[in-house]
Amino acid sequence: MPVSEIDTLGRDAKANAARCLEDLDTPCLVLDTDRMARNVTRLRSRLASHGVCLRPHLKTGKSVEVARRTMTTPQGPATVSTLKEAELFAAAGVTDLIYAVGIAPSKLAKVLDLRAKGIDLAIVLDTVEQAEAVAAASRAAGHSIPAFIEIDCDGHRSGVLPNDADRLVSIGRVLADGAELRGVLTHAGGSYAAKGIEALQACAEEERRSVVDAATILRGAGLPCPVVSVGSTPTAHNALDLTGVTEVRAGVFVFFDLVMAGIGICHVDDIALSVLATVIGHQHEKGWILIDAGWMAMSQDRGTSRQAVNQGYGIVCDGSGVPYDDLIVADANQEHGIIMVRPSSGGQLPDLRIGDRVRILPNHACATAAQHDRYHVVRGTSSVVEGEWPRFGGWS
Amino acid sequence: MPVSEIDTLGRDAKANAARCLEDLDTPCLVLDTDRMARNVTRLRSRLASHGVCLRPHLKTGKSVEVARRTMTTPQGPATVSTLKEAELFAAAGVTDLIYAVGIAPSKLAKVLDLRAKGIDLAIVLDTVEQAEAVAAASRAAGHSIPAFIEIDCDGHRSGVLPNDADRLVSIGRVLADGAELRGVLTHAGGSYAAKGIEALQACAEEERRSVVDAATILRGAGLPCPVVSVGSTPTAHNALDLTGVTEVRAGVFVFFDLVMAGIGICHVDDIALSVLATVIGHQHEKGWILIDAGWMAMSQDRGTSRQAVNQGYGIVCDGSGVPYDDLIVADANQEHGIIMVRPSSGGQLPDLRIGDRVRILPNHACATAAQHDRYHVVRGTSSVVEGEWPRFGGWS
């Protein structure tokens, strides 16, 4: 069972507590918990000043240890992207969860199983068909499943348009017959492509207004709408006004990454996650250094390729996590990374020898972390590995 | 331990043998073993007609069950991309292995451990520094580690240029003092970007000539070079002449994928791997169908985006694996896929309802499979799940 795997890895971790980064097999994932703690405090303080609750998205960490340091209480609230996350975090004591991907009717049995164990797991939907399935399943089980209506605030993915009163009220009325309308929820995914602070502030206001408008329509039709949920790391860090919003969801803020640095939400030295790699070769005449971290270790996320500065597969740092000037993993195969000085920069190739260690900062923390089964925990520039934290993947 | 994990999953699989695809949680990975068997037979027959040995690369499947159906004997030969693969396949009885990523000196202890257990694990290197480390480790252990000199046949990654006699002979002589020069090895990674059969044949000939030339130089200097190893799926399927070559390595041929179909190595209906997904929504006015397979289930490999036909995140098939006309996963978030008719095509959006199942053919089998921990095995268009085969990831 997954939970026992977690316990086992947790115990192994303690036995390894005295190791240094130099002792680790490469490639592997390194987490700087000093940076993570700073990132968590920063968003918590910001939202506290607005008087709204943080419901962190646990899909970034997929780790009980990370979740415990991200949530405001051991019981939550929190957000998940798969029912496996819901099951594993529930087993670890989290009781207040939203599964924030549109529900498939075949998944309702698992939702009811978790609710029967006392987990307040809410779901998300945006069609009358889904609402009918949820209401029918609730009636059959004699247990109301709480559901959010997803709102489409920026056209990037799913959701009901915030001014589509007919569809909002239809969904709400179908849910009222056996299920529970918990509220409205949106995600400003478009904010990842925003350029500049004013654009980010505009995304945040659009996100806020869309759910507040939808909530107003539902309440005006006599339907309940207790929770008004928004969320994305860029908007969470840029919203000027959260009036009418009751909670904010965000995920990648916990680690940050080069995409977030590229749109100005964090600095490169806020990024808590890196991949430790070993130099395995050179092509001197081409200015290449080869390492044993390819796309399998970094993921194929090239999010910064659409930004002003393309970071390739990641920024190269020395073993203590300090970036070299203009040095990136410019190309990658499955288990090979090719380090180069950024084209048309003034950077110089450092004198890295076979066997030397580097750390690579990722484009997208969620994607890179997903390629690994554990975090090697360090604090700041120390090379002491304080422990190993397991992480999980998959869907069932 | 990883091996016991595999055994556990193997037992679970038997209990689930009577299920159908409709019963599976989504997203999940589906493997059509009829197609896989056809793909394996095709390459084996081709190489047999050339009189050379197939040394399959097990990094694509990362599965004991897949490996057993790919190798010519249960003991190998085979190729791996990580030492974890070497350890797990060795534990499953494979004794003839090449770890085909340039060796880091810190990995030699693990290599020696496996060799002490009777596994003929050979390594790869392309510098005098690595050869010195391997020779020193061999002398210290009193055991010769066999090493291949990697040859750079097309400038795409690592390796010694085939005409760099000084470097080839220097490496060979350093190895001779305690270690073993097993041969020369190259990988025509550039063939993945070749356009047309003549270009592919030229890549194959360049690959062959580079290692044969390097072997001739080594032998001319009085050094041994018993094994001459080439390999990539595109060149393995297009080489006209393999004179002087003793073995061919290839990986993705076992499953094939849309990148291979795009360069003409296979047909779309040879692709043995797909991701089963469920429809979770629509944006009717945009012509979008939303599914619960995003980039976490498909990987972010967009290999066909550099080809004549961009397949997005994959081609959409019905539940039995038959492609819809011009229907692709055009965009993806972590757990959402957006299905659209291919832009500027004549295709029509099929009438897919909430809860309907589709199967998505991947751009890159190695990358998509790596996002999953098991295969759900089917045969042809049957929906019966014959079993579950575990697969592994990670490095240690």
Side-chain angles (χ1 to χ4, degrees):
Chain A
M1 275 302 296
V3 179
S4 64
E5 282 170 27
I6 287 177
D7 288 339
T8 307
L9 268 169
R11 279 195 297 276
D12 288 345
K14 282 161 203 153
N16 294 326
R19 291 190 300 170
C20 288
L21 288 177
E22 278 300 312
D23 306 323
L24 300 181
D25 292 331
T26 58
C28 69
L29 193 62
V30 177
L31 172 59
D32 177 347
T33 52
D34 281 357
R35 291 185 180 189
M36 178 177 76
R38 198 168 75 204
N39 296 340
V40 171
T41 300
R42 183 178 150 209
L43 187 56
R44 263 194 207 159
S45 307
R46 183 169 210 282
L47 296 181
S49 75
H50 283 280
V52 298
C53 169
L54 171 61
R55 181 185 286 277
H57 204 317
L58 305 183
K59 79 185 172 88
T60 304
K62 295 211 187 198
S63 148
V64 171
E65 297 290 351
V66 172
R68 285 182 180 147
R69 286 157 178 83
T70 315
M71 298 183 296
T72 43
T73 84
Q75 293 76 43
T79 315
V80 293
S81 72
T82 65
L83 289 179
K84 182 168 178 184
E85 289 168 52
E87 290 172 328
L88 293 185
F89 289 121
V94 186
T95 55
D96 178 359
L97 289 165
I98 299 177
Y99 167 47
V101 176
I103 194 74
S106 58
K107 292 176 177 159
L108 290 170
K110 251 186 202 180
V111 172
L112 282 163
D113 281 351
L114 279 165
R115 291 196 57 82
K117 292 177 183 156
I119 310 303
D120 185 14
L121 172 64
I123 60 168
V124 167
L125 48 80
D126 65 357
T127 61
V128 169
E129 297 93 309
Q130 287 165 302
E132 284 168 347
V134 172
S138 295
R139 290 190 301 267
H143 179 104
S144 293
I145 300 172
F148 285 83
I149 302 179
E150 185 172 6
I151 306 301
D152 178 9
C153 67
D154 59 9
H156 82 286
R157 193 166 73 194
S158 38
V160 183
L161 289 175
N163 59 357
D164 189 345
D166 283 353
R167 190 162 151 196
L168 285 170
V169 172
S170 297
I171 293 171
R173 291 205 171 126
V174 170
L175 287 173
D177 184 19
E180 174 196 334
L181 175 57
R182 180 67 62 89
V184 287
L185 171 151
T186 196
H187 166 60
S191 67
Y192 283 64
K195 289 191 168 75
I197 192 152
E198 287 180 15
L200 287 161
Q201 290 169 347
C203 287
E205 177 54 16
E206 192 178 32
E207 187 181 45
R208 183 193 74 83
R209 205 178 43 217
S210 72
V211 275
V212 169
D213 286 356
T216 302
I217 288 171
L218 290 166
R219 290 168 185 150
L223 291 160
C225 189
V227 182
V228 178
S229 180
V230 298
S232 82
T233 288
T235 53
H237 269 300
N238 283 279
L240 296 176
D241 175 18
L242 287 167
T243 306
V245 166
T246 64
E247 64 174 36
V248 170
R249 306 175 331 276
V252 82
F253 76 96
V254 62
F255 296 153
F256 280 130
D257 53 30
L258 294 172
V259 166
M260 288 298 113
I263 57 174
I265 311 299
C266 68
H267 298 290
V268 167
D269 66 5
D270 293 322
I271 300 173
L273 208 64
S274 60
V275 171
L276 184 71
T278 302
V279 173
I280 59 168
H282 297 87
Q283 294 287 22
H284 292 289
E285 64 293 348
K286 292 176 181 166
W288 292 1
I289 298 170
L290 288 115
I291 55 172
D292 64 355
W295 58 250
M296 190 64 86
M298 295 306 305
S299 89
Q300 297 214 31
D301 196 299
R302 300 287 303 278
T304 57
S305 67
R306 296 179 294 273
Q307 296 187 328
V309 180
N310 180 352
Q311 308 287 13
Y313 286 83
I315 285 183
V316 183
C317 303
D318 66 20
S320 68
V322 178
Y324 292 103
D325 286 342
D326 287 313
L327 201 66
I328 62 172
V329 179
D331 204 354
N333 295 149
Q334 186 159 339
E335 299 291 347
H336 296 78
I338 299 179
I339 291 177
M340 294 176 68
V341 172
R342 191 192 313 282
S344 74
S345 82
Q348 278 208 321
L349 208 61
D351 181 25
L352 288 167
R353 310 289 178 89
I354 300 276
D356 283 351
R357 298 287 173 101
V358 292
R359 281 162 67 180
I360 317 295
L361 301 177
N363 279 303
H364 187 171
C366 307
T368 300
Q371 303 298 107
H372 298 263
D373 65 0
R374 74 199 85 161
Y375 301 93
H376 298 88
V377 174
V378 298
R379 299 189 57 183
T381 54
S382 166
S383 70
V384 175
V385 179
E386 309 267 340
E388 281 183 21
W389 292 351
R391 53 165 289 135
F392 58 88
W395 294 268
S396 64
Chain B
M1 276 302 295
V3 179
S4 63
E5 283 170 27
I6 285 178
D7 288 339
T8 307
L9 267 169
R11 279 196 297 276
D12 288 345
K14 283 161 203 154
N16 294 325
R19 291 191 300 171
C20 288
L21 289 177
E22 278 300 312
D23 305 325
L24 300 181
D25 291 332
T26 58
C28 68
L29 193 61
V30 176
L31 172 59
D32 177 346
T33 51
D34 281 357
R35 291 185 180 189
M36 178 177 76
R38 197 167 75 204
N39 296 339
V40 171
T41 301
R42 184 178 150 209
L43 186 56
R44 264 195 207 159
S45 309
R46 183 168 209 283
L47 296 181
S49 74
H50 283 279
V52 298
C53 168
L54 171 62
R55 180 185 285 277
H57 205 317
L58 305 183
K59 79 184 172 90
T60 304
K62 297 213 187 197
S63 148
V64 171
E65 298 290 350
V66 171
R68 286 184 180 147
R69 286 157 178 83
T70 315
M71 298 183 296
T72 43
T73 84
Q75 293 77 43
T79 315
V80 293
S81 72
T82 66
L83 289 180
K84 182 168 178 185
E85 290 168 52
E87 290 172 328
L88 293 185
F89 289 121
V94 185
T95 55
D96 178 359
L97 289 165
I98 299 177
Y99 167 47
V101 176
I103 194 73
S106 58
K107 291 175 178 161
L108 289 170
K110 250 186 202 180
V111 171
L112 282 163
D113 281 351
L114 279 164
R115 290 196 59 81
K117 292 178 182 156
I119 310 303
D120 185 14
L121 173 64
I123 60 168
V124 167
L125 48 79
D126 64 357
T127 62
V128 170
E129 297 93 309
Q130 287 165 301
E132 285 167 347
V134 171
S138 295
R139 289 190 302 267
H143 179 104
S144 293
I145 300 172
F148 285 83
I149 303 179
E150 185 173 6
I151 306 301
D152 178 9
C153 66
D154 59 9
H156 83 285
R157 192 166 73 194
S158 38
V160 183
L161 288 175
N163 59 356
D164 189 345
D166 284 353
R167 189 161 152 197
L168 285 170
V169 172
S170 297
I171 293 171
R173 292 205 170 125
V174 169
L175 287 173
D177 183 19
E180 175 197 334
L181 176 57
R182 180 67 62 87
V184 287
L185 170 151
T186 196
H187 166 59
S191 67
Y192 283 65
K195 289 191 168 74
I197 193 152
E198 287 180 15
L200 287 162
Q201 290 168 349
C203 287
E205 176 55 15
E206 192 178 32
E207 186 182 45
R208 182 193 75 83
R209 205 177 45 217
S210 72
V211 274
V212 169
D213 286 356
T216 302
I217 289 171
L218 290 166
R219 291 170 184 148
L223 290 161
C225 190
V227 182
V228 178
S229 180
V230 298
S232 83
T233 289
T235 53
H237 269 300
N238 283 279
L240 296 176
D241 176 18
L242 288 167
T243 306
V245 166
T246 65
E247 65 174 36
V248 170
R249 307 175 330 277
V252 82
F253 76 96
V254 63
F255 297 154
F256 281 130
D257 54 30
L258 293 172
V259 167
M260 288 298 113
I263 57 174
I265 311 299
C266 68
H267 298 290
V268 167
D269 65 7
D270 292 323
I271 300 173
L273 208 64
S274 60
V275 171
L276 184 71
T278 303
V279 173
I280 58 169
H282 297 87
Q283 294 286 22
H284 292 289
E285 64 295 346
K286 293 175 179 164
W288 293 0
I289 298 170
L290 288 115
I291 55 172
D292 64 355
W295 59 251
M296 189 64 85
M298 295 307 304
S299 89
Q300 298 214 31
D301 196 299
R302 299 287 303 277
T304 57
S305 66
R306 296 180 293 274
Q307 296 186 327
V309 180
N310 180 351
Q311 308 287 15
Y313 286 83
I315 285 183
V316 183
C317 304
D318 66 20
S320 68
V322 178
Y324 292 103
D325 286 342
D326 288 312
L327 200 66
I328 61 173
V329 179
D331 205 354
N333 295 150
Q334 186 159 339
E335 299 291 348
H336 296 77
I338 299 179
I339 290 177
M340 293 175 67
V341 172
R342 192 192 312 283
S344 73
S345 81
Q348 278 208 322
L349 208 61
D351 181 25
L352 288 167
R353 310 290 177 90
I354 300 277
D356 283 351
R357 297 288 173 99
V358 292
R359 282 162 67 181
I360 317 296
L361 301 177
N363 279 302
H364 187 171
C366 307
T368 299
Q371 303 298 106
H372 299 263
D373 65 0
R374 74 200 85 160
Y375 301 94
H376 298 88
V377 174
V378 298
R379 299 189 57 183
T381 54
S382 165
S383 70
V384 175
V385 179
E386 308 266 341
E388 281 182 20
W389 291 352
R391 54 165 288 136
F392 58 87
W395 294 268
S396 64

